[in-house]
Amino acid sequence: MSDTGSAIASTTPQALMGYHELLGMHVVEWEEGRAVVELTIEPKHLNRSGNVHGGVLASMLDSALSLAGLHCDVPGNIRRGMTLSLTTTFVGPARQGVLRATGTLRGGGQKTFMTSGEIVDERGNLVAMGEGSFRRRSGSESSQGVPDPQLREPSE
């Protein structure tokens, strides 16, 4: 996802939906082997101590890490996957500003892939890091992906 704004805009609707929108995550870069997700901290993201809740950070890592292995350049197609394992290490607190989660593909095959990544705050301070194993769903093994059912026209 690190191209022009128009390239990002054309792929973003395929990337994050539902739960991600509820949290306020946005894909800002996406390319083969790498994905970046951002979130502007709001009061709803904070725990009772005034820090971003660990679940928000884990969700950001899960999204960035999985997307790093699911990029698809074919217009109208999508690649889907599921998390097999996710390890998260919380390093420092975050209370305000924008968080940036970056995921990088590290290895794997057609079905299973491994990624690692980190979350930094606006100043570049490390907030969390993680690694995960993911499985591409049937049809998503190829970089060509499968047609996105959300883009189908209603039948008459």
Side-chain angles (χ1 to χ4, degrees):
M1 283 195 222
S2 68
D3 291 318
T4 65
S6 60
I8 294 168
S10 67
T11 58
T12 300
Q14 298 175 8
L16 301 179
M17 304 163 101
Y19 174 69
H20 306 101
E21 292 173 1
L22 179 67
L23 285 178
M25 285 190 265
H26 302 281
V27 176
V28 295
E29 296 179 33
W30 197 12
E31 61 193 14
E32 187 65 35
R34 184 173 183 273
V36 180
V37 174
E38 287 186 348
L39 176 137
T40 300
I41 299 171
E42 299 177 35
K44 68 182 178 182
H45 300 122
L46 305 178
N47 61 23
R48 294 189 313 164
S49 298
N51 297 318
V52 174
H53 190 281
V56 174
L57 299 173
S59 292
M60 289 184 71
L61 282 168
D62 188 41
S63 297
L65 271 59
S66 65
L67 289 174
L70 297 173
H71 185 263
C72 180
D73 279 330
V74 178
N77 281 9
I78 189 171
R79 294 174 81 190
R80 295 188 179 137
M82 63 182 120
T83 306
L84 299 176
S85 69
L86 179 67
T87 302
T88 306
T89 302
F90 304 107
V91 179
R95 294 190 168 106
Q96 60 185 4
V98 176
L99 296 176
R100 184 175 180 91
T102 302
T104 304
L105 183 65
R106 298 298 182 190
Q110 282 190 322
K111 278 282 202 185
T112 304
F113 63 95
M114 287 66 68
T115 57
S116 64
E118 63 183 27
I119 299 175
V120 296
D121 65 15
E122 290 178 331
R123 295 182 193 144
N125 297 316
L126 185 62
V127 175
M129 54 191 177
E131 58 185 20
S133 299
F134 302 86
R135 183 173 177 88
R136 293 182 183 102
R137 293 194 177 266
S138 294
S140 295
E141 303 91 345
S142 162
S143 62
Q144 302 299 304
V146 295
D148 185 350
Q150 303 242 353
L151 298 178
R152 288 187 187 154
E153 295 181 25
S155 49
E156 298 178 40

